[in-house]
Structures are given as C-alpha cells and as structure tokens.
Amino acid sequence: MESLPNGDSTAVAAAATAASIPSSRLTHLAESLKLEHQFLRVPFEHFKKSMRANHRIVEKEMSAVISSVAEAADRDMSKEEAVHHLTSLVSRLQGLKRKLEEGNKTENLQAQRCRARLDHLESAGTESLSEWNSTRVKRILVDYMLRLSYYDTAIKLAESSNMQQDLVDIDVFHEARKVIDALQNKEVGPALAWCAENKSRLKKSKSIFEFQLRLQEFIELVRADNNLRAITYARKFLSSWGATHMKELQHVMATLAFRSNTECPKYKVLFEPRQWDYLVEQFKQEFCKLYGMTLEPLLNIYLQAGLSALKTPFCYEDDCTKEDPLSQESFRKLASSLPFSKQHHSKLVCYITKELMDTENPPLVLPNGYVYSTKALEEMAKKNNGKVTCPRTGLVCNYSELVKAFIS
Amino acid sequence: MELSTIKDAFDRVAKKQRLSSSKAQEVIDQVGREIEQALTKMHSVHDSTSSSDQKSILMELNSKLNEMGPLKQLEGSQKELNVALSKYAKLLEKSFNPDISKAYRNVDFDTHTVNQIIAGHFYRRGLFDLGDCFINESGESEATYLKSPFLEMYQILEAMKCRNLEPALNWATTNCEKLMQNRSSLELKLHRLQFVEILQKGTRADALTYARTYLAPFASRHMAEIQKLMGCLLWAGRLDCSPYAEFLSPTHWEKLAEELTQQFCCLLGQSFESPLSVVIAAGVQGLPTLLKLANVMASKKQEWQAMKQLPVPVDLGSEFQFHSIFVCPVSRDQGSEENPPMLMPCGHVLCKQSIVKLSKSSTRTFKCPYCPLEATVAVCRQLYF
C-alpha cells in the first residue's frame, strides 16, 4: 500500500492525531479517496461543456460581426443603410456581452461546485468520519436514483439531512431526463439535439448513437407505411453512415420490404417497442461516458466489492450472526454469483464478546474443545468463583482447566 | 495523492477561465468601440449624397478590425485555458482511479433485490416518506412489508424523545422473555428511568407506589440497583443535590434509546447497523485491492467473471469480521466441517488434514512444525470457535 507523499502527510497526520485516527485507518482513508474520480470529474466536465459552449457563441457572433463589416465595406450603401447596419452590429455586440456575463455566472457556479467537492474530500481527514461516511452512502444512493431515473427520490434524498447540493449531480441529469422522457414517448428530437450539442466528443469516442436514432426514425416511417418519405429520409440521414456501418444499414433498410406486421423474426424484432428501451439504455451509457461516470451505478460496484469481501461459507449457515449482512436473504441472493473471500491468516472472533482473539486477547480452550477469548472467560470466572460455563454446551469447569491455544 | 496539488491545479484553471472571459469582454468592447467610432464619423459627414464616404469609413473600419484580429486574441486566451484544462484532467486521472467499474462483474445482479435492500435501508433509518417515495418510483410494491416493524420502533423512540416512556415500557413488558434470553436488563432500566422521572416531577408517594408495582419484581436479580433507587426517595424533588445526581443525566436517555434500538432490531432478526451501510463500507475498504486484482487479470476476462474465490485476501477492518476463520498455517486451507482445526498438546493448532498428513498413517507420533513437542493423532482435540 502506498504511503502518503510528503506534502500532505504532515497536515493530515497532524489532523489525524488531533482526531486520533489510527494509521491503518489513514491508509484506508487515502485509498478510499482514490475511488472518487467520478465525484470530481462530472462537475469538471459540466464546467468544460459550459465554457466550450460559451466560447463557441462568442466566436460565432464575433466572426459574424467581422464578416458583416467586411461585406458591408464591399457593398455600396447609402448613409442610412450604413448607419443602420453598424448600429445593428453594436446592439448585437451588446447582446453578446450580456450573454457572456450570464454564461460567466454559470461557469462560476460550476467552478464553485468543483471546489466544494475538493474541499469535501479534504474534510474526510478532519471532520467526523462517521458523518463523512454516511454522506458517502447518501451520495452513492443519489447516483443510483439518478441512473435509474428515480428523480423524485433523488431530490428528496439530497434534501434530507441537508446534504450540500454541490455534492450531487442532480442538475446534470436534468438534461438527461428530457432526452429519456422524449425517447420513452417515442420522440427522437431531444436526443438528436443532444447529439448535435456534443457532436465533436461523440465523434471522438466513435459513437454510433446518432446513427441508431436515425435508424429508429426510419423504422417508424416504415411502420407508418410512409415508404417514400422513409427513402428520402434514408438518403438524407443514413447514407453518410453507410461507409462504416453498411451491414446495419442494409439490415434496417430491408424493413421496407417487410411491413410492420411481419412475422419474420429477424425483422419483427426491429419493429418492437423494446427498441425504444434499448435506445434509452444506449443514451444513458453515452451520457455517462461523456461525463466521466462509471457505466454501472456506483452502488452496484461497491455492493459487489463489499459482498465478495464479506462472503464466507459460514455466512450461509443458519446460525450466522444477524450482524453479518449476508445473514439476510436479499444479500445472500445478490452475492450468490460472486466469489468467496480469501484469508491468508486466521482471524478468530470470540463467540461471547464478538471481539478479535489475538495475541492481546488470546483464545482459551475448554475441556470440550470450545474456544472463547481470555477477556470473556476471565470476567466470567471473576463473577462466578473461578468457574466458567460454556454458553453453547452448558459445560461447567474451572478457569484453571483452560488451555491456551497458539494460533498465528 | 495530494489534494493541495489538485486544488492548485484547479485554481489555475479557474484563473485562466477568468482571464479568457475578461479577454472576451475586452475584445468585444474594442470591436464595439471601433464600430461606434465609425458610426460617429458617419454621423459627422454632412454630405449625404456621395456614397464613397460611407464606403471609405467602412473600409477603414474593416482594415482596423483585421489589424486588431479579435478572433486571434480570443483564440490565444482560449488556448491557454485549454492547456490548463487538460493538465487538470490528466492530474485527476493520475491521482485517482479513473475507472472503478473495472472491478465490476457482469453477473446476475438483480435490480429488484437491490431496490428491496434500499427500501429496507430507508425504513430502518426512520426515513418513511423517502422509503414510500422510492417504492412508488421504483414500483417495488412488495417491499412495503419492511416498513411496519420499524415504524413501531420509531414511534417508541419518538415518544422517548418527548420523555414518554409508555410505548417503550409496553414493548419491553410484551417481550420480556426474549429480552431476558438476550441477557438484557432493558426493562429494569426503563422502569428506573421512569421512577426517577416520577421522583422529579411527582410526589414521593407516587414514586413509592411505582417502585412497589414495577421495581419489586426485579429485586431478586438486581438488589443493588433497587437499593440505590430506594435511596433516591430521600431526595425527592432535590435529586440534583443528592449522591444520586447522575441518575438525572440525559445520557441515560440516549443510551437507553440506543439499547432499545439494539434489542428491537435483534428481536426482529435484524442487525443494528443498516446492512447496506455495512456492505458499502466493506466495499470501500475492499475495492482498491479488487481493482488491483482486476488490473492484473485484465487479459483474463473469463477467469475474472467465473472465479469462485478471490485469489488474494482483502484486508478489512476488524469490525467486518463476523465469523471466525481458521487458516491452517501449514496447508493454508480454511477450516471447515470436513477439515476442522485440531489442537495439539503443545497448544498449536493445525487443520485435520495437515495432522493426518504429518502422522502419515494416523498412528505414529509426529513433531509439531512449530515446537519440538511430539504428539499422536489421538491426543489432538477438535476446536470449535
């Protein structure tokens, strides 16, 4: 495990001694912070997006104004015309200034959010760890809600317990919500607009989402028996994709020959409403990729890791302690296809105190082979005239009859 | 990972953004000014007949703008901003694990089960509205069965917050047998708290009656406690000046609320901590190791998906140790029913199979691998953790 590099270690160590966090927890903490890439990346991507969009507006307007002047200089205008022309350019620039100011405000808020999140990560070493951890659980749950489109719950959860709004991505998902709602209503408009907005980045990642949207629109035209319009549509929007995705294109174009009530399985599937659900899933994936989010909800990732780390054959026994999450049926079900954990060294837990039995609290063996911790048995002996009773078998014996076990 | 470095890098980004923004404003102002100058020139020309004046002013404006090169200026500051942006992005990628979903396995991970777990989590935290809203949105109508037991618990706890112990006492009396099985003195503690309340607010006579009715049954097992409480009678209304002043401390209420929650959950067959929080916390501790493992196994996707046991140990804090795991120091096998841990007379413990192997035919003596003492299979005893 890596140790903290010099720069921060003194500050964190000082804070740690103040908060008396043992060093093993410190390393755990440092490692757990490294898992928070999405936490920082999403607002950053949002920030970049706003900046890009605002810059494009400025570039476009400025370039339009300049070329307008150039064009006017070439023409022959009357005085009124020229004055009118220039005045309109001035007001256009004023409008641009206002837009720029507004855009700036948004950018500042987003920069603030990025900073707030960095501050939040920093506070993990200094403020109450249990509170920070419980905020993390909430963040993970909000992420889950947003991914599965449970927006009301996400908002409610974020508002409960006054979690800082800066720590969750609810507004990022607003734009996703519009697209998803439209797709569920069988409309591709907002989705196509989204593709246009993010054209260059989607192209960089070789996304075919726009292609898939266009294909679906084509199929809808065929479904409505608008074959001529479908063909025009294909010519306009699908042909450019032919170079790279000819097979898919041909497959879908063939729906012209089959009608929407075809029984042929290969083509029937293309007409099913399920295709729209598939588009929604595709959009969610593209959206998450664009913002640097993991493709799976954070909750699932942490659950799988935790379940696997906790899973032992003993968890599935009937007398498994209820404190173990894997004693619950739902958790057992989730963990069923996950690998068991592995141990290289013995780790023993006293049946009575639930504490670890190690060199400071060594295990003692009763004459019947049952083992409990020294602490538990000492206390029991003190209260019972040097006698101990095995809580599981009822056997009574003297403390002096106990034997120490040496387990590495 | 140094958060201060990352913060500095972000400050640089923010600075470049401000610069770029103010540059844009500056450029817009400049261009605006030039156009306005041209406008004033136009207005000052009185001769409206010749079009050449307008044209020359326009051409002058055009060349001025070309000289100024506003687009180039904008581009310049934007370039600097982009450099800062990409540096920050690279720093994030370097300092953090860029894709934690690499440790995810594409196995059957049922959304309905996860949703039920979440609903249970909300209900056990007392977030009943949230739980209902979630069940509504997710359509998991069957999960409402988790609500009522915890609803009762929270009603009891809410009453306790208002210093009303009745619901708690009712519950404790109803479940007194199970509480005794768990060796919990919750009932007595509740009565004690109630007794002190009566002593402070009511009369000595009331308190005495209460003691006779409710505390007397506990006398046999908790004599010392009862005696103390009887002593409190002497200071009715003035308990804060008595040697028993600590009975008034509000921490008793908090501790009792916690103990009640513990026992309540226990009787329900539930854990005290939300299991969801426990698994997430375990996941946070275990994920770094699993990510390293996934990295190493990046080229063996099939093995990763299908493995039955993790090939490396995942170090979790001791609070996640729910079971005793015995690992034979010789064979590194985990103890099980078929291969239980055995205690040798010297006090060292090996698994049964290792002992059988060492003794070669289970009748000869063998030497403990850790000390010079010898033993036979017969004197080795099975251990039960």
Side-chain angles (χ1 to χ4, degrees):
Chain A
M1 278 218 236
E2 304 141 63
S3 53
L4 291 171
N6 278 332
D8 248 5
S9 63
T10 38
V12 180
T17 35
S20 50
I21 305 176
S23 72
S24 62
R25 290 234 180 252
L26 261 184
T27 13
H28 271 154
L29 186 60
E31 286 294 315
S32 75
L33 290 182
K34 285 204 190 136
L35 303 171
E36 302 276 11
H37 189 226
Q38 174 177 314
F39 186 51
L40 293 180
R41 177 105 185 266
V42 175
F44 180 58
E45 288 298 328
H46 204 194
F47 184 36
K48 274 202 290 189
K49 189 171 171 189
S50 299
M51 284 193 284
R52 258 196 309 265
N54 288 335
H55 180 76
R56 237 179 277 144
I57 292 177
V58 171
E59 242 185 13
K60 197 167 142 205
E61 283 291 289
M62 185 55 74
S63 147
V65 164
I66 292 175
S67 48
S68 172
V69 168
E71 180 249 2
D74 266 345
R75 275 198 296 158
D76 283 318
M77 291 182 167
S78 70
K79 181 172 170 188
E80 290 84 34
E81 265 187 297
V83 167
H84 176 81
H85 194 87
L86 289 184
T87 327
S88 74
L89 287 183
V90 171
S91 60
R92 198 166 174 179
L93 284 178
Q94 283 173 342
L96 180 61
K97 261 195 96 142
R98 273 195 305 274
K99 260 204 202 137
L100 188 60
E101 269 171 33
E102 264 180 50
N104 216 8
K105 276 202 200 115
T106 322
E107 285 167 18
N108 282 340
L109 284 175
Q110 288 168 343
Q112 195 128 304
R113 172 168 294 196
C114 290
R115 276 214 192 82
R117 294 200 182 183
L118 281 167
D119 288 338
H120 183 73
L121 288 186
E122 213 170 32
S123 75
T126 52
E127 75 171 42
S128 144
L129 202 56
S130 63
E131 264 215 44
W132 201 90
N133 285 341
S134 107
T135 306
R136 173 169 48 207
V137 171
K138 287 199 204 93
R139 286 193 282 120
I140 291 173
L141 286 175
V142 171
D143 170 88
Y144 182 82
M145 302 300 163
L146 291 171
R147 305 283 192 118
L148 272 82
S149 305
Y150 304 146
Y151 299 110
D152 292 334
T153 315
I155 294 174
K156 254 197 150 124
L157 179 55
E159 282 172 359
S160 81
S161 78
N162 303 320
M163 187 162 67
Q164 282 177 277
Q165 290 302 316
D166 276 339
L167 302 182
V168 290
D169 296 317
I170 295 182
D171 47 3
V172 168
F173 273 87
H174 269 319
E175 78 178 75
R177 193 176 181 173
K178 273 188 265 163
V179 174
I180 293 176
D181 284 346
L183 284 176
Q184 282 170 337
N185 275 327
K186 312 223 164 114
E187 286 167 22
V188 297
L192 284 172
W194 184 84
C195 288
E197 251 179 59
N198 297 284
K199 204 183 180 112
S200 54
R201 297 197 65 204
L202 287 173
K203 198 163 174 198
K204 223 199 252 175
S205 66
K206 300 208 173 61
S207 156
I208 58 167
F209 183 55
E210 194 189 330
F211 182 45
Q212 290 166 324
L213 289 169
R214 299 279 183 205
L215 287 178
Q216 190 63 34
E217 272 209 309
F218 177 83
I219 290 178
E220 293 305 317
L221 287 170
V222 173
R223 194 201 300 272
D225 270 337
N226 262 325
N227 289 357
L228 282 178
R229 269 191 68 195
I231 296 177
T232 333
Y233 186 86
R235 282 217 187 101
K236 188 168 176 199
F237 293 114
L238 294 177
S239 48
S240 52
W241 293 91
T244 39
H245 294 87
M246 183 50 81
K247 264 192 110 171
E248 289 89 336
L249 182 52
Q250 287 175 331
H251 183 64
V252 172
M253 292 290 296
T255 53
L256 277 171
F258 301 78
R259 311 238 344 261
S260 54
N261 50 9
T262 180
E263 280 307 312
C264 170
K266 261 183 102 177
Y267 290 94
K268 185 171 181 193
V269 68
L270 289 176
F271 285 106
E272 277 174 6
R274 231 190 316 145
Q275 289 290 98
W276 287 98
D277 296 333
Y278 174 71
L279 278 177
V280 170
E281 283 313 307
Q282 265 307 107
F283 170 68
K284 284 186 183 174
Q285 285 210 2
E286 297 282 350
F287 183 79
C288 290
K289 231 195 309 187
L290 216 63
Y291 275 97
M293 296 189 235
T294 56
L295 290 180
E296 290 296 327
L298 294 176
L299 180 63
N300 291 1
I301 298 175
Y302 283 106
L303 278 182
Q304 272 202 6
L307 287 171
S308 209
L310 291 173
K311 189 178 175 187
T312 69
F314 303 104
C315 303
Y316 286 81
E317 287 173 4
D318 288 331
D319 61 351
C320 171
T321 168
K322 291 301 170 194
E323 296 303 316
D324 184 351
L326 282 164
S327 61
Q328 308 290 331
E329 199 45 51
S330 44
F331 287 90
R332 282 181 177 171
K333 185 159 174 235
L334 273 186
S336 54
S337 21
L338 297 174
F340 282 94
S341 64
K342 184 180 189 145
Q343 304 271 18
H344 273 164
H345 298 285
S346 298
K347 285 212 179 111
L348 305 172
V349 173
C350 172
Y351 180 86
I352 299 174
T353 61
K354 311 292 179 218
E355 281 176 15
L356 227 52
M357 296 193 281
D358 50 19
T359 41
E360 282 148 47
N361 184 17
L364 292 176
V365 187
L366 270 64
N368 59 2
Y370 278 76
V371 182
Y372 304 99
S373 65
T374 308
K375 276 194 197 151
L377 292 172
E378 257 179 21
E379 221 190 288
M380 205 190 285
K382 234 194 277 180
K383 289 197 182 143
N384 290 288
N385 286 325
K387 288 211 185 294
V388 295
T389 313
C390 173
R392 285 176 281 184
T393 60
L395 175 82
V396 184
C397 69
N398 279 318
Y399 187 86
S400 49
E401 292 173 62
L402 302 174
V403 181
K404 223 176 174 182
F406 297 98
I407 301 183
S408 50
Chain B
M1 168 187 66
E2 299 182 32
L3 276 167
S4 52
T5 323
I6 302 178
K7 281 177 117 173
D8 287 339
F10 187 75
D11 285 338
R12 275 194 293 273
V13 166
K15 187 167 135 199
K16 294 292 178 194
Q17 179 253 337
R18 276 193 300 269
L19 280 177
S20 169
S21 195
S22 57
K23 185 61 157 179
Q25 293 278 6
E26 200 188 294
V27 166
I28 296 175
D29 285 339
Q30 270 187 330
V31 172
R33 268 199 303 273
E34 291 297 333
I35 297 182
E36 287 191 344
Q37 269 184 16
L39 260 177
T40 31
K41 271 194 214 151
M42 267 193 212
H43 281 298
S44 65
V45 170
H46 290 297
D47 188 349
S48 55
T49 47
S50 85
S51 65
S52 54
D53 283 321
Q54 283 86 274
K55 193 162 173 142
S56 65
I57 295 178
L58 284 173
M59 286 179 78
E60 208 187 311
L61 175 63
N62 189 29
S63 61
K64 265 215 188 131
L65 288 183
N66 282 337
E67 221 183 282
M68 192 166 74
L71 288 177
K72 258 225 182 79
Q73 289 189 47
L74 289 175
E75 222 179 295
S77 63
Q78 190 68 10
K79 229 186 225 160
E80 280 188 37
L81 175 58
N82 284 339
V83 166
L85 287 173
S86 72
K87 270 206 179 134
Y88 182 69
K90 283 209 184 86
L91 184 60
L92 282 189
E93 257 190 54
K94 198 174 79 163
S95 319
F96 294 87
N97 200 314
D99 190 11
I100 62 173
S101 62
K102 283 218 178 91
Y104 186 74
R105 287 188 171 79
N106 272 322
V107 293
D108 190 23
F109 211 65
D110 182 33
T111 314
H112 290 295
T113 318
V114 177
N115 284 352
Q116 281 184 356
I117 289 176
I118 297 177
H121 172 82
F122 287 148
Y123 286 138
R124 67 151 51 229
R125 287 297 189 83
L127 304 167
F128 298 106
D129 285 334
L130 190 57
D132 291 337
C133 175
F134 174 67
I135 284 191
N136 242 343
E137 262 193 310
S138 61
E140 298 286 343
S141 43
E142 308 109 38
T144 41
Y145 73 87
L146 298 157
K147 187 176 178 183
S148 35
F150 288 109
L151 203 51
E152 194 191 335
M153 181 172 94
Y154 273 90
Q155 282 166 349
I156 296 178
L157 288 173
E158 280 303 302
M160 272 181 81
K161 279 199 196 132
C162 311
R163 302 283 168 139
N164 173 10
L165 284 169
E166 268 221 43
L169 283 165
N170 285 338
W171 181 81
T173 333
T174 327
N175 294 285
C176 66
E177 268 187 39
K178 291 199 199 129
L179 285 171
M180 272 207 295
Q181 259 178 17
N182 288 345
R183 277 169 288 167
S184 160
S185 53
L186 187 68
E187 221 190 333
L188 171 63
K189 288 188 184 140
L190 285 168
H191 282 302
R192 184 176 73 188
L193 215 52
Q194 184 76 302
F195 176 79
V196 170
E197 274 296 286
I198 295 179
L199 209 52
Q200 279 297 94
K201 306 230 173 88
T203 66
R204 193 174 292 176
D206 285 337
L208 199 48
T209 332
Y210 191 83
R212 287 218 178 98
T213 333
Y214 295 106
L215 293 178
F218 293 96
S220 49
R221 276 176 292 124
H222 301 274
M223 183 52 77
E225 277 300 315
I226 309 285
Q227 285 172 337
K228 276 197 206 144
L229 291 173
M230 289 302 106
C232 290
L233 278 171
L234 294 171
W235 276 274
R238 301 180 288 133
L239 214 55
D240 40 341
C241 329
S242 77
Y244 303 110
E246 63 100 19
F247 280 155
L248 291 170
S249 158
T251 51
H252 283 295
W253 289 87
E254 287 158 19
K255 278 209 197 132
L256 206 51
E258 206 182 293
E259 190 172 338
L260 187 118
T261 315
Q262 251 176 357
Q263 289 303 323
F264 197 100
C265 290
C266 189
L267 260 55
L268 273 181
Q270 298 281 338
S271 54
F272 176 55
E273 297 280 348
S274 154
L276 181 64
S277 304
V278 173
V279 177
I280 290 180
V284 167
Q285 284 193 13
L287 200 50
T289 312
L290 289 175
L291 284 168
K292 285 197 193 118
L293 180 63
N295 227 353
V296 167
M297 294 183 73
S299 48
K300 309 187 196 145
K301 268 289 157 163
Q302 195 40 34
E303 229 182 286
W304 172 257
Q305 296 286 356
M307 64 167 71
K308 292 285 171 218
Q309 186 181 34
L310 294 174
V312 294
V314 173
D315 230 348
L316 294 180
S318 54
E319 68 269 30
F320 298 106
Q321 199 68 34
F322 298 110
H323 305 275
S324 288
I325 308 279
F326 173 72
V327 177
C328 176
V330 169
S331 62
R332 295 282 164 209
D333 284 336
Q334 258 172 236
S336 63
E337 278 219 31
E338 304 86 41
N339 189 18
M342 308 284 287
L343 178 73
M344 295 186 287
C346 52
H348 290 114
V349 185
L350 297 181
C351 74
K352 191 166 188 181
Q353 282 172 8
S354 296
I355 287 184
V356 165
K357 274 201 196 116
L358 279 173
S359 70
K360 284 195 182 107
S361 56
S362 356
T363 48
R364 298 182 53 198
T365 57
F366 60 92
K367 184 186 96 63
C368 165
Y370 291 97
C371 66
L373 277 165
E374 290 196 346
T376 57
V377 175
V379 299
C380 294
R381 298 191 277 150
Q382 181 169 342
L383 289 183
Y384 304 90
F385 294 114

